[in-house]
Structures are given as structure tokens and as C-alpha cells.
Amino acid sequence: MSVKDFYSDILGSAGLSFPVLWRVIRSAKLSRSIPLVFNFVVPGRIINALYRQIHKNKFIPKSMVIEPSYRCNMSCADCYAPEEKTLMSGELLDSIITQAKKLGVFRFDLMGGEPTLPEVIDMALPVINKNKNCVFNICTNCTLIDQAFIDKVKGSKNIFYLLSMEGNKETTEARRGKGSYDAYLRSVQLLRQNKMAFSLSMTLDPNSWKEQISEQVIGDYVEAGGAIIYSYPRFNNQNKKFYELPRIEFLKQIQMLCKKYAVYWGDGHYGKMKAYKGIIPRHNNQVCINPSGKVRPYRFFAMPEFGDVSTTPLAEILASKELIDFKRESRTKANELLKDEKEELARQGFKVYNYKWRM
């Protein structure tokens, strides 16, 4: 592996430019933002890349999605989560993190369900605090973030809050219900007052995506102190497929926004964007673990499952030929999906970066 490849694998593929990193550092107290950035870059990227070279016989993810519970206090349209009330035990969560770190994984997305429910956050917080060299992204619908919650978590310096919002008030409440947009605004205000880092998560509807990622919406988010945005097209829970967006138009809009604002945009379906750069095709570098400990390759799909960490070591599951073959096939499909779009964007003068996905 050459020095150039090593850099591309560690930082180039992260898509975080210096202006974005600087805005992330400034967004929180230095006692919070410095550990977050350090954990992301050193254990999360450098050590992870080394371990992926050492364990070439395994699929070592760059990060892991953990669903501690599917319990939720909301009922959003097209929610992918099943109606299941299982709550992951603190012992199982601790075991997952411990095993993952031994394999070089230090970044975790806590999703659900709603991870800020009292019984979920109370279970997870001791594990989060124990693993200070990790980054934990907590994806929340914002409704439970109040001063009492802030007081509970303010001692934890390795949490990045991922706030769910759907653009403006109209598009947010159409999917998440009345009061959901105001909950987002209240969360932003509280997190800013307490100097805690946050990012933004949106699911884009094919009929309203332009309004959801308009210059006004993104400009307001940046002005509020945000620097990182994640988006997915809307998931149709009836046919278990994503709604399609007009890819060329969509990617051009994101690239324009990333040039205008110093933000990192991690689109989970079509590609990654970085400020003043281009498109890095997205190849799924994660696995997802449900409340019972079942391991699957994608967050949105309940199947296939490749093992159970409550009964089988994580290293053994990640070394399974079935999982590795599945990920390789996904890589091929992802490359094919973006090939025509990349060529068309390049013809129109947009920068396109190719990234070699490695096991």
C-alpha cells in the first residue's frame, strides 16, 4: 500500500477538508471538540486503516451502526424500524464495543428507534463513558433533548449528536408530525448554549428534496453552527426500496452547496461530498447490529443476517465468507450505479474523484 493510497484511505475518503474540521472544532468546547476530532482521525481512521490491512481475511468496517432499541416516542412516515420492544443490555453493548476495538473499529452510530429515550441512554451512557477513545454518533428525533438531558450527558466528551430534520418546518412536520421542527430548533439552541457538537440528518423525499436542501435551509443550518450533513433518499417500508432521486441533478445541487458552504456532506446512497472537492463513490463500509445482537450488512434492511454477537465472536462473524462475498458484490453494484452519473458530471465540468474500496 503506497503512501498516497494510505492517505486516500485514511483522510481522503473521509471527505473532511480543513475548513470543515476547523468549524467542527469551533462548534464545541475545546475539551469536547478536540477529543472528538482526535478520536475520529487517529483511532477512527489511522488505526482502523492499519487493522484493515492486518485483517485482510475479515471485513473490518470503518464504523458500526448499533441499534440499542427500536422503541420510539414518534411514528414517522416510512420508518424502517420494526415494531419490536427489545432493549439491548449494557453487557451486550459493552461486549460489542470491546470486541470491535480489538479489530480496529472506534466509530459507532447509535440509532434505533430513539436512542435518547431514558431507558436507552441510561443503559448506553456508562459504556460510552468507559470507551473514551471512541466516537459515538447519537441519531435523535430531537424531541427529548431538554436541559435535563443535557445535564445527564454533559460529562461525556465523545458524543456527536446527529439531529434529524427534513428541511424546513413544512417538510419536517409532514413526515415527523406537529412540533418536530420546533424540537429541532430547541435542540440546536440547547446544544449551542452548552457547546456540544451536532450534525444534521435528513431523509429526502422525491417530491420535496429541492426544498429540503435549498440554499435557505442549508444556509440557516450553517449559520446555526453546523458543519456536517448526512442524507438518504426516503425509504419505502412497503416495498423495502429507496425512492429514487434524479441523481445528476441531486449530486450537482449538493456539490454547489458544498462549494458555497464549508460543510461535509455524507450522502448514504449516492456518494460522499466534501467542500471544494468532488464526489467519492459510496461503498458500504459498515455493518449494523440490532437490539438482540444480530449482525446484518445494512441498517435499513432486516435481512440478510450473518451471525449473532450474543453467541458468536464478532471477529468470527466478520470473517464469514458469506459476509465478505456480500460486501464485494455490493461494491461492484455501487460502482456500476455511479458509473454513468460520474461520466455525465465530468462532461459538465464537475470534479469527480475515484476511490478504491478495500476490504
Side-chain angles (χ1 to χ4, degrees), residues 238-276:
Q238 300 301 313
N239 61 17
K240 306 300 180 184
K241 293 182 179 180
F242 289 101
Y243 292 102
E244 288 295 325
L245 302 179
R247 282 193 282 268
I248 295 292
E249 189 178 0
F250 170 66
L251 291 172
K252 286 173 66 176
Q253 172 71 1
I254 294 179
Q255 191 166 71
M256 181 274 291
L257 291 168
C258 288
K259 287 180 178 179
K260 183 166 185 176
Y261 304 104
V263 296
Y264 163 76
W265 199 303
D267 181 72
H269 194 61
Y270 297 130
K272 291 180 182 177
M273 304 295 298
K274 52 187 177 180
Y276 303 104

Side-chain angles (χ1 to χ4, degrees), residues 224-235:
I228 298 176
I229 300 170
Y230 296 96
S231 67
Y232 281 86
R234 188 69 51 82
F235 185 72

Side-chain angles (χ1 to χ4, degrees), residues 346-359:
R347 280 196 293 269
Q348 297 185 31
F350 286 80
K351 292 183 179 179
V352 179
Y353 291 76
N354 292 312
Y355 170 63
K356 294 180 181 179
W357 185 85
R358 298 175 178 84
M359 295 294 291

Side-chain angles (χ1 to χ4, degrees), residues 72 130 159 253 266 275 281 308:
C72 190
K130 176 183 175 181
I159 298 177
Q253 172 71 1
D308 186 337

Side-chain angles (χ1 to χ4, degrees), residues 189-347:
Q189 183 178 18
L190 279 168
L191 292 169
R192 288 192 71 185
Q193 288 174 351
N194 290 273
K195 300 294 285 182
M196 294 179 173
F198 62 89
S199 55
L200 178 63
S201 172
M202 289 192 285
T203 55
L204 303 177
D205 186 279
N207 299 313
S208 60
W209 69 269
K210 289 184 179 180
E211 291 77 20
Q212 289 180 264
I213 58 172
S214 67
E215 288 192 53
Q216 181 67 53
V217 167
I218 304 307
D220 288 347
Y221 167 71
V222 171
E223 187 176 350
I228 298 176
I229 300 170
Y230 296 96
S231 67
Y232 281 86
R234 188 69 51 82
F235 185 72
N236 186 331
N237 208 23
Q238 300 301 313
N239 61 17
K240 306 300 180 184
K241 293 182 179 180
F242 289 101
Y243 292 102
E244 288 295 325
L245 302 179
R247 282 193 282 268
I248 295 292
E249 189 178 0
F250 170 66
L251 291 172
K252 286 173 66 176
Q253 172 71 1
I254 294 179
Q255 191 166 71
M256 181 274 291
L257 291 168
C258 288
K259 287 180 178 179
K260 183 166 185 176
Y261 304 104
V263 296
Y264 163 76
W265 199 303
D267 181 72
H269 194 61
Y270 297 130
K272 291 180 182 177
M273 304 295 298
K274 52 187 177 180
Y276 303 104
K277 296 293 182 181
I279 297 169
I280 300 175
R282 178 192 185 274
H283 307 295
N284 193 304
N285 285 305
Q286 292 183 323
V287 292
C288 180
I289 302 179
N290 77 4
S292 301
K294 303 291 195 309
V295 179
R296 61 189 198 275
Y298 298 125
R299 175 163 66 100
F300 291 95
F301 301 97
M303 298 296 287
E305 295 175 353
F306 292 98
D308 186 337
V309 290
S310 65
T311 58
T312 306
L314 180 62
E316 184 177 324
I317 295 172
L318 297 180
S320 102
K321 183 178 184 302
E322 292 77 16
L323 174 59
I324 292 172
D325 288 346
F326 187 95
K327 285 294 186 179
R328 283 176 174 156
E329 184 179 353
S330 298
R331 172 199 61 185
T332 301
K333 289 180 178 178
N335 284 336
E336 291 175 351
L337 177 69
L338 287 176
K339 181 181 178 181
D340 293 340
E341 285 80 357
K342 288 190 293 181
E343 292 176 353
E344 178 60 29
L345 286 164
R347 280 196 293 269

